[in-house]
Amino acid sequence: MKLRLATPGPTEVPQRLLLAGAREIIHHRSAEMEELIHEINEGLPPLFGTSRPVYTIATSGTGAMEAAVANCFSAEDEVLVVSNGYFGERFQAICRNYGLTVHVVESDWGTSVDPQRVAEAYAQHPQIRGAFVVYSETSTGALNDVEAIGRIFRDTDVVVVVDAISGLLVHPLDMDDWGLDVVLAASHKGFMLPPGLAFIALSDKAWTAVESSSGPAYYWSFERLRHFYPMSSSSPAVSLLLGLHESLKMLGEEGLPDFRKRHATLGRAAERALRELGFCTFIQEPHRRSHVITSALAPEGIDTSQLLKTLSTQYGLTMTGGQAHLKGKLIRVGHVGAADALDLCAVFGALEMSLLTLGHRFTPGSGVGEVVRTFHTFHEEVK
Amino acid sequence: MKLRLATPGPTEVPQRLLLAGAREIIHHRSAEMEELIHEINEGLPPLFGTSRPVYTIATSGTGAMEAAVANCFSAEDEVLVVSNGYFGERFQAICRNYGLTVHVVESDWGTSVDPQRVAEAYAQHPQIRGAFVVYSETSTGALNDVEAIGRIFRDTDVVVVVDAISGLLVHPLDMDDWGLDVVLAASHKGFMLPPGLAFIALSDKAWTAVESSSGPAYYWSFERLRHFYPMSSSSPAVSLLLGLHESLKMLGEEGLPDFRKRHATLGRAAERALRELGFCTFIQEPHRRSHVITSALAPEGIDTSQLLKTLSTQYGLTMTGGQAHLKGKLIRVGHVGAADALDLCAVFGALEMSLLTLGHRFTPGSGVGEVVRTFHTFHEEVK
């Protein structure tokens, strides 16, 4: 059975990138690697909207989140964590693990955090050293206004740490202009690569924080990363770097504006198709939807666990459901990276067939029809 | 130009493993992954000589070294670091980074540490909580007697942490029997894979230390690894896991005894060939030689920097030189992983041609001849 992924990451990796990663391994202190790294280091910063270096390390997104905490803060520092989902909670857990005092600006799962509430929390806790926020909260599909949140702290000493792991590339992010200090990303979302690489971009303000931090860090010590830059501080994940080099080329060929249009259209199409099939999309206006995934509550009588199981066992399609308290209630249709209109047709084809199997009634083709209609309209629009 | 590696890791990755890693990405919470992980988790422990789980994380060997420090100790704990090279020094640096008090049993680069000196240091510092030792010190090619060192601490509370990153598989390691508590390894040495995965095996004594440790750790928190086991705690490096699954199959097909015989013969052949070409092998009796690399000081008048440069620019062969104070003096012929007799013939072919270019005088073929002779004798011996 052909295996497909409609997950928020790992995403399907285009064959071109899989094969780039299957090239012969080059040594991390060789002329070939210098050339490869040079092009990667040139290609990454514009994607983060920064003129400063972006560091690449072998770890997952969680490792990058921890690296930010370990390098920029010290035990007992007070920080603000903006939290409206699973990954906001992860930031809290890591901060507490490092002994930081955490003030939480909590917002319901499925909502975007109101930047005004962040400003109020800051007024209440002016002594905070950092503010953590997730750009695209993949557990729900909500997008946070990191631009507005960044601007609150722009002219302060507060270090703004942004988990842009799934949001980067898919949504605009202008680190330098928005006043973001630590921006984290990973290979297995918009970059269309296998998991295993994380990216860290740092502002001057972040570097000042690094200098006064007493948190322990070695492998992902920012000072060590800077010391070895442009090369890697430890043995890098060479096959993933070979893939990254090719991924940057692919992103350059499509261009970020088209990449974003494609994701916006995928999001719109998925949303319409889900509604047509009786689902209730989870992120409601005025909250902002991430274009990484489209999440929705199942129609009455449909057990999403069974639905996901049917999708995987009958059709080889992996889709994820809700995390934590949303387990069993939500499905999350991932369409980040290389996903295109036809991939989404296949996904909704599988979804329709599985729903029929589970006894749900609707006109076959009505979901896929919305995908076709949305993309058709989109193409007309941009002509 | 065809690129070749004669480095102590990353090693050349067999095409079979490169292509396994280029398979379509599967999701880390899917039935396919469960099956893959199950087989990996079954396959790893016997290679470490343990009956307990071996944890796999996406990081380099350095990350695994740091994880051991972060998880098993607390600031101000006293520890012993056995140090006879670059990686022993790295253990010291990481321990100090985490605020541990470090007592060093230092031995010259190029020597194996005398276990008696470790026992003496322990008698002098009976309050130590841990002892760190590198099995195969890749910076010099010396092997440490971790069996004897492990036995010193076997019936004590001292946690013995072994960097077996390059030594595992190539040399015997019987964790449970030898009394080793934390054994670290990585994907890009004996496993013949690209860098990016690290392995951590833990004894019951190590788990007791974990429980009383106050060092911060999240991404590589051992408790988190155990909590999610058999699955991964974070998005795993899927392509490397696909490769690992195939690597375990290949190791099984060759069998560890033959794998080790091959490496021992590669080491012996490289040593003889280097001597024949006028090099002086760096590890001298009674010190023990690792079969991961063979290191040697260049003949009078040969600048190793120029030699390595000629090898890479003229023949596409990457070989590494000395680290730290041995820079410019040493060459390290790597032959770990999938390297075989014919690879070593190619390596010595390149070495001979480069030496001729640099004006060194010897009978062409005399180095490669020793490789041929050694392997021929070896095959005769095992007939």
Side-chain angles (χ1 to χ4, degrees):
Chain A
M1 186 161 50
K2 197 165 164 181
L3 298 177
R4 288 181 171 87
L5 291 176
T7 45
T11 68
E12 283 193 10
V13 177
Q15 196 176 41
R16 178 173 161 190
L17 300 188
L18 287 172
L19 293 178
R23 264 194 51 200
E24 74 270 37
I25 294 296
I26 56 178
H27 193 262
H28 49 289
R29 309 270 179 248
S30 66
E32 291 78 24
M33 181 59 91
E34 270 176 37
E35 202 180 312
L36 187 87
I37 286 274
H38 174 76
E39 290 183 21
I40 288 172
N41 287 347
E42 291 281 298
L44 285 173
L47 305 177
F48 288 71
T50 183
S51 57
R52 295 185 198 76
V54 174
Y55 302 94
T56 302
I57 52 173
T59 186
S60 79
T62 303
M65 292 166 85
E66 180 170 359
V69 174
N71 279 277
C72 298
F73 304 99
S74 308
E76 277 151 55
D77 276 356
E78 296 189 33
V79 296
L80 209 65
V81 176
V82 173
S83 184
N84 57 335
Y86 192 77
F87 292 97
E89 290 180 5
R90 177 158 299 181
F91 259 145
Q92 294 178 51
I94 298 172
C95 287
R96 292 203 177 96
N97 190 294
Y98 275 75
L100 312 192
T101 301
V102 179
H103 305 286
V104 185
V105 179
E106 195 120 37
S107 189
D108 283 344
W109 287 44
T111 66
S112 306
V113 175
D114 180 359
Q116 184 53 36
R117 291 192 47 221
V118 178
E120 286 162 16
Y122 178 40
Q124 225 183 319
H125 304 288
Q127 70 282 19
I128 55 162
R129 302 285 307 269
F132 293 80
V133 57
V134 177
Y135 192 13
S136 160
E137 179 49 83
T138 333
S139 63
T140 65
L143 195 73
N144 284 319
D145 190 348
V146 294
E147 178 175 4
I149 293 168
R151 291 199 195 280
I152 295 169
F153 301 104
R154 217 197 130 109
D155 300 316
T156 72
D157 287 338
V158 177
V159 172
V160 179
V161 180
V162 177
D163 163 354
I165 292 167
S166 70
L168 193 84
L169 307 180
V170 176
H171 292 276
L173 187 139
D174 202 337
M175 179 174 174
D176 291 353
D177 186 50
W178 296 0
L180 312 179
D181 301 302
V182 184
V183 176
L184 314 170
S187 54
H188 56 299
K189 312 281 181 178
F191 287 99
M192 309 170 278
L193 291 168
L197 289 183
F199 309 109
I200 301 175
L202 298 165
S203 73
D204 288 341
K205 199 205 280 181
W207 278 114
T208 306
V210 170
E211 276 149 31
S212 66
S213 155
S214 66
Y218 189 88
Y219 173 67
W220 47 46
S221 152
F222 291 171
E223 281 172 339
R224 224 171 136 256
L225 291 176
R226 180 166 62 178
H227 176 75
F228 282 92
Y229 188 87
M231 304 307 278
S232 300
S233 50
S234 299
S235 301
V238 181
S239 55
L240 296 174
L241 290 183
L242 292 165
L244 174 60
H245 185 257
E246 195 68 21
S247 157
L248 293 174
K249 267 199 214 165
M250 279 183 76
L251 289 168
E253 285 161 14
E254 183 172 17
L256 275 190
D258 281 349
F259 182 92
R260 286 185 189 135
K261 261 186 222 159
R262 174 163 59 79
H263 283 84
T265 314
L266 286 163
R268 211 186 317 169
E271 188 191 314
R272 288 180 184 166
L274 283 164
R275 281 202 202 125
E276 188 63 32
L277 294 174
F279 286 76
C280 174
T281 50
F282 190 56
I283 313 296
Q284 296 291 339
E285 294 281 344
H287 301 288
R288 296 171 67 189
R289 291 197 185 99
S290 162
H291 299 148
V292 169
I293 59 160
T294 303
S295 59
L297 298 161
E300 193 83 18
I302 293 295
D303 175 346
T304 60
S305 307
Q306 256 197 302
L307 176 61
L308 296 175
K309 202 174 167 189
T310 309
L311 282 169
S312 72
T313 54
Q314 301 289 312
Y315 303 103
L317 181 84
T318 303
M319 189 182 281
T320 51
Q323 288 168 297
H325 65 277
L326 293 173
K327 221 169 186 159
K329 296 177 190 163
L330 206 67
I331 63 165
R332 294 183 295 151
V333 183
H335 39 64
V336 57
D340 65 8
L342 304 194
D343 288 322
L344 203 63
C345 287
V347 169
F348 275 91
L351 209 47
E352 290 196 10
M353 289 189 268
S354 302
L355 286 167
L356 289 173
T357 304
L358 297 182
H360 188 50
R361 297 184 57 168
F362 60 91
T363 312
S366 56
V368 181
E370 284 302 316
V371 176
V372 171
R373 193 169 290 125
T374 308
F375 269 91
H376 177 71
T377 314
F378 170 75
H379 279 297
E380 293 297 308
E381 274 171 19
V382 295
K383 240 184 207 166
Chain B
M1 186 162 50
K2 196 164 163 182
L3 297 177
R4 287 181 170 87
L5 291 177
T7 47
T11 67
E12 282 193 12
V13 177
Q15 195 174 42
R16 177 174 163 190
L17 300 188
L18 288 171
L19 293 178
R23 262 195 52 201
E24 73 270 37
I25 295 297
I26 56 178
H27 193 262
H28 50 288
R29 309 271 179 251
S30 66
E32 291 79 24
M33 182 60 89
E34 270 175 38
E35 203 181 311
L36 187 87
I37 286 274
H38 174 76
E39 290 182 23
I40 288 172
N41 288 346
E42 291 282 297
L44 285 173
L47 304 179
F48 287 71
T50 183
S51 56
R52 296 185 198 77
V54 174
Y55 302 94
T56 302
I57 51 173
T59 187
S60 79
T62 303
M65 292 166 85
E66 180 170 0
V69 175
N71 278 278
C72 298
F73 304 98
S74 309
E76 277 150 52
D77 276 357
E78 296 188 34
V79 295
L80 210 64
V81 176
V82 173
S83 184
N84 57 336
Y86 192 77
F87 293 97
E89 291 180 4
R90 177 159 298 181
F91 260 145
Q92 296 179 49
I94 298 173
C95 288
R96 293 204 176 96
N97 190 294
Y98 276 73
L100 311 192
T101 301
V102 178
H103 304 286
V104 185
V105 179
E106 195 120 37
S107 189
D108 283 345
W109 287 44
T111 66
S112 306
V113 175
D114 179 0
Q116 185 52 36
R117 290 193 48 220
V118 179
E120 286 162 16
Y122 178 41
Q124 224 183 319
H125 304 288
Q127 70 281 21
I128 57 162
R129 303 285 305 270
F132 294 80
V133 57
V134 177
Y135 192 12
S136 160
E137 179 49 83
T138 333
S139 63
T140 64
L143 195 72
N144 284 319
D145 189 348
V146 295
E147 178 175 5
I149 293 169
R151 292 200 194 280
I152 295 170
F153 300 105
R154 218 198 130 106
D155 300 316
T156 72
D157 287 337
V158 178
V159 172
V160 179
V161 180
V162 176
D163 164 354
I165 292 167
S166 70
L168 193 84
L169 307 180
V170 176
H171 292 275
L173 187 138
D174 202 336
M175 179 173 174
D176 291 353
D177 186 50
W178 296 0
L180 313 179
D181 300 300
V182 184
V183 176
L184 314 171
S187 53
H188 57 299
K189 311 281 181 180
F191 288 99
M192 309 171 278
L193 290 169
L197 288 183
F199 309 109
I200 301 175
L202 299 165
S203 74
D204 289 341
K205 198 205 280 182
W207 278 114
T208 306
V210 170
E211 275 149 33
S212 67
S213 154
S214 66
Y218 189 88
Y219 173 68
W220 47 47
S221 152
F222 291 170
E223 282 172 338
R224 225 171 135 256
L225 292 176
R226 178 166 64 178
H227 175 76
F228 282 92
Y229 189 87
M231 305 304 280
S232 300
S233 51
S234 299
S235 302
V238 181
S239 55
L240 295 175
L241 290 183
L242 292 165
L244 174 59
H245 184 257
E246 195 67 23
S247 157
L248 293 173
K249 267 200 214 165
M250 280 183 74
L251 289 168
E253 286 161 15
E254 183 171 17
L256 275 190
D258 282 348
F259 181 92
R260 286 184 189 136
K261 260 186 223 159
R262 175 164 58 81
H263 283 83
T265 315
L266 285 164
R268 210 184 318 168
E271 189 191 315
R272 289 180 184 167
L274 282 164
R275 281 202 201 126
E276 187 63 32
L277 294 173
F279 287 76
C280 173
T281 50
F282 191 56
I283 313 295
Q284 296 291 339
E285 292 282 342
H287 301 288
R288 295 171 67 189
R289 292 198 184 99
S290 162
H291 300 148
V292 169
I293 58 162
T294 302
S295 58
L297 298 162
E300 192 85 18
I302 294 295
D303 174 347
T304 61
S305 308
Q306 255 197 304
L307 176 61
L308 297 174
K309 203 174 166 189
T310 308
L311 281 168
S312 72
T313 54
Q314 301 289 313
Y315 302 104
L317 181 85
T318 303
M319 189 182 281
T320 52
Q323 288 168 296
H325 65 277
L326 294 173
K327 220 169 185 160
K329 296 178 193 163
L330 206 67
I331 65 165
R332 295 182 295 151
V333 182
H335 39 66
V336 56
D340 65 8
L342 304 195
D343 288 322
L344 204 63
C345 287
V347 167
F348 275 90
L351 210 46
E352 291 196 11
M353 289 189 268
S354 301
L355 286 167
L356 289 175
T357 303
L358 297 182
H360 187 51
R361 296 183 59 168
F362 60 93
T363 311
S366 56
V368 180
E370 284 302 315
V371 176
V372 171
R373 192 170 290 126
T374 307
F375 270 91
H376 177 72
T377 315
F378 170 74
H379 280 297
E380 292 298 308
E381 274 171 19
V382 296
K383 241 185 209 165

